[in-house]
Amino acid sequence: MSEQEDLTFEFRDDFKRVGIADKVITLLTTPIEISPMVIDGDWGTGKTEFCQKLIHKFRSEHGRYRLVYVDAFQADHADDPLMTVLAAVAGEALEGEAKRTFLQKAIPVVRYGLQTAFKASVSHMLKENADDIADGLEKHLQDSANKAIDASVAAVLKDHEKAQQNLKALQATLADQVTADSPIVIFIDELDRCRPDFAVQMLEVIKHTFDVVNVKFVLVTNTKQLRAAINHRYGPLVDAQRYLDKFLKFSVRLPADVSGRVGYGYGENRLLASVKHYSNLVSSSGILAGTGLGQTDKEYFTFASELIQVNQLSLRQVETFTRYLEVYHSLSRGLAPDETAGLRLLRLFGVFVSCFSPDVYDNIQSGCTNADVIAPLLGVPTLLPDNEETYHYSRKLAVIIGLQLVQNSAFNAEHFMFESEDSQECWKKGFDYYFGNRSVLSDIWQPVKEVFSVLSLSSR
């Protein structure tokens, strides 16, 4: 199946998703018509790992079900969704005589699809070269062309009729092999990473070819990307959601947060899943051990958490961020606990920019920093509180650091200045707290640039 096939919820369930898996299994084992079902989630939110754990749990609890896993992205290059699914069913769900009979019925269906694609490509080539035909030949060829077209239409109609017969035979064979005592559930993963045409063809294959009793589908994908694929294929005027609704029966979205924990800035008893993932990765990293980055009561964790939340990092992006932190610290020891707290926070921001904001990276390097671009990365509000709320807002660490950065930007710094000297002084006290005696830097951007230098492997 994949290198993750042995993953279980008992082994790891950082995001408390075993309850979701239980409910999915319950639905798939009821007679409710929910197939195709979608397990929806943005890129990098752990959909594939969830799918692997779900299959493992499903198989251990319901042995009579035959579960099939298809990595659509790996099959994308074959450019034939029908063959991909047929091969997976034959390889993982059928054995012996049942498998041989199924393949015998499947071959004509696949052959028709290949023939149709070949004829279409030949027709396209002929059309592309039509303009090269000499004018003198055009009239001479017209009669022959008309006769050829008539013959082609007749052949296509005959082929189509035969194809329909073959498809029905395949469906009947599959129905004979898939009973209520041994149903099949087919999980299609990574569909959102496929080429738009392949993704849409897969939906159509599922609907038109595998509409068979006791065969269910679960699509593990990002429906936003599927909608984009539909519009790419059929044009922006097509209502992609209505098109999807024709194919999909039920959708469940993986939550972006984790219950059972109070996290800074996330509301009562909720913690962003990506923040939890960051905590786990940093705490288990031997390279970052002793830096304090994984201690949830430390300012470094708070600052990183705010960056993750404000920029809505996915789980995969959090892994990238952690990897870059490990690389930076390995090469510089710049996150060691004996460093000034404020400098470590600026370095964290430098690593973050290196990972996710190439345009901002270039602007910082060239000295063309733009406050209007920097501020959103750190959650600095467009309208700064210049009243009694100032003190409370100034306790937000990313904004404390961010305000100093935007006020020292080359462009649009005036958008983030206070009219009140008292408010400005309040923010400065927060900044001074983290920088101690080094609160006055000749260039606040210099520590960030030093991070860039380390990560480019050009520093000493």
Side-chain angles (χ1 to χ4, degrees):
M1 185 191 298
S2 94
E3 63 182 9
Q4 292 185 315
E5 63 182 349
D6 294 328
L7 280 178
T8 66
F9 288 106
E10 290 78 11
F11 171 73
R12 182 172 67 208
D13 188 20
D14 296 335
F15 311 124
K16 306 295 187 292
R17 289 173 174 172
V18 65
I20 300 173
D22 285 332
K23 294 179 177 66
V24 170
I25 293 170
T26 296
L27 291 174
L28 289 171
T29 53
T30 66
I32 303 173
E33 293 187 11
I34 59 167
S35 175
M37 169 192 279
V38 174
I39 296 175
D40 186 16
D42 292 334
W43 277 338
T45 54
K47 297 189 300 297
T48 291
E49 181 170 319
F50 175 78
C51 179
Q52 302 286 0
K53 293 175 180 176
L54 170 63
I55 292 173
H56 191 283
K57 184 176 179 62
F58 199 154
R59 183 173 286 122
S60 66
E61 295 176 355
H62 299 273
R64 67 187 181 89
Y65 278 79
R66 289 174 283 179
L67 308 182
V68 176
Y69 177 84
V70 177
D71 185 332
F73 184 60
Q74 285 190 353
D76 189 353
H77 69 280
D79 201 27
D80 192 337
L82 175 59
M83 186 181 295
T84 297
V85 179
L86 289 174
V89 170
E92 297 188 39
L94 301 175
E95 297 178 350
E97 185 60 32
K99 182 174 181 177
R100 285 189 289 273
T101 302
F102 177 76
L103 289 174
Q104 287 174 357
K105 300 297 183 182
I107 289 172
V109 177
V110 174
R111 183 186 294 126
Y112 173 74
L114 294 175
Q115 288 174 344
T116 302
F118 175 73
K119 290 176 181 177
S121 64
V122 171
S123 174
H124 176 73
M125 287 188 293
L126 290 174
K127 182 178 179 181
E128 288 292 308
N129 291 296
D131 292 339
D132 296 334
I133 298 176
D135 292 339
L137 290 175
E138 185 173 349
K139 189 176 184 306
H140 176 74
L141 293 175
Q142 190 62 51
D143 291 340
S144 297
N146 288 337
K147 292 178 182 178
I149 290 172
D150 290 342
S152 296
V153 169
V156 167
L157 289 174
K158 184 176 180 180
D159 286 347
H160 183 70
E161 181 181 0
K162 184 66 174 176
Q164 290 298 103
Q165 294 173 358
N166 290 334
L167 178 57
K168 289 179 180 179
L170 172 64
Q171 291 172 334
T173 300
L174 186 57
D176 288 339
Q177 304 299 330
V178 186
T179 66
D181 292 330
S182 58
I184 292 178
V185 181
I186 303 170
F187 294 82
I188 309 290
D189 192 15
E190 303 280 21
L191 196 57
D192 48 340
R193 296 179 63 194
C194 297
R195 290 176 296 105
D197 282 357
F198 185 89
V200 175
Q201 288 170 20
M202 179 67 80
L203 292 175
E204 294 170 350
V205 161
I206 291 171
K207 179 177 177 63
H208 300 302
T209 305
F210 290 93
D211 186 14
V212 177
V213 177
N214 296 316
V215 176
K216 296 183 179 181
F217 280 85
V218 179
L219 308 182
V220 185
T221 189
N222 179 350
T223 55
K224 288 189 292 188
Q225 188 62 28
L226 275 188
R227 289 194 293 270
I230 291 165
N231 288 134
H232 181 275
R233 176 157 183 172
Y234 295 117
L237 297 181
V238 170
D239 187 330
Q241 186 57 53
R242 290 189 65 181
Y243 182 89
L244 269 182
D245 289 342
K246 295 191 304 181
F247 294 90
L248 308 178
K249 298 287 182 61
F250 182 76
S251 179
V252 56
R253 184 168 179 81
L254 292 180
D257 53 17
V258 182
S259 62
R261 163 111 183 240
V262 177
Y264 180 87
Y266 304 105
E268 186 176 358
N269 293 325
R270 308 302 295 176
L271 181 67
L272 203 65
S274 51
V275 173
K276 174 65 175 173
H277 194 39
Y278 171 80
S279 175
N280 293 338
L281 291 173
V282 172
S283 298
S284 62
S285 170
I287 293 172
L288 298 176
T291 62
L293 296 185
Q295 294 179 247
T296 57
D297 59 339
K298 297 292 186 181
E299 58 266 33
Y300 316 112
F301 180 83
T302 299
F303 183 66
S305 299
E306 290 172 353
L307 287 176
I308 292 168
Q309 182 193 27
V310 167
N311 295 278
Q312 299 182 326
L313 297 192
S314 69
L315 302 183
R316 190 173 293 122
Q317 288 174 313
V318 165
E319 291 169 2
T320 299
F321 185 35
T322 306
R323 187 181 311 114
Y324 271 63
L325 287 171
E326 290 178 324
V327 170
Y328 171 71
H329 190 58
S330 294
L331 296 175
S332 69
R333 312 305 298 174
L335 300 174
D338 56 348
E339 291 282 0
T340 302
L343 288 176
R344 297 173 77 193
L345 297 174
L346 288 176
R347 289 164 182 166
L348 270 173
F349 178 67
V351 174
F352 177 86
V353 170
S354 296
C355 290
F356 307 115
S357 302
D359 292 340
V360 173
Y361 179 103
D362 291 340
N363 290 340
I364 293 173
Q365 286 285 60
S366 63
C368 298
T369 48
N370 185 336
D372 288 341
V373 175
I374 302 293
L377 297 179
L378 291 142
V380 178
T382 303
L383 297 175
L384 292 167
D386 201 9
N387 49 41
E388 64 274 7
E389 296 180 5
T390 299
Y391 172 74
H392 299 288
Y393 212 107
S394 67
R395 297 171 66 190
K396 196 170 179 65
L397 185 52
V399 179
I400 292 173
I401 305 301
L403 186 60
Q404 292 296 323
L405 291 171
V406 297
Q407 287 185 349
N408 286 275
S409 292
F411 300 97
N412 299 317
E414 67 277 7
H415 295 171
F416 299 90
M417 298 297 181
F418 291 103
E419 295 181 5
S420 165
E421 292 184 4
D422 290 341
S423 294
Q424 187 68 42
E425 182 62 23
C426 182
W427 286 95
K428 186 177 182 301
K429 286 180 180 178
F431 185 74
D432 289 347
Y433 174 80
Y434 291 104
F435 282 83
N437 295 329
R438 301 182 64 178
S439 61
V440 180
L441 299 174
S442 58
D443 180 6
I444 194 173
W445 292 104
Q446 189 56 39
V448 179
K449 293 178 181 178
E450 289 172 357
V451 171
F452 296 168
S453 179
V454 171
L455 290 175
S456 68
L457 309 184
S458 60
S459 65
R460 291 187 297 130

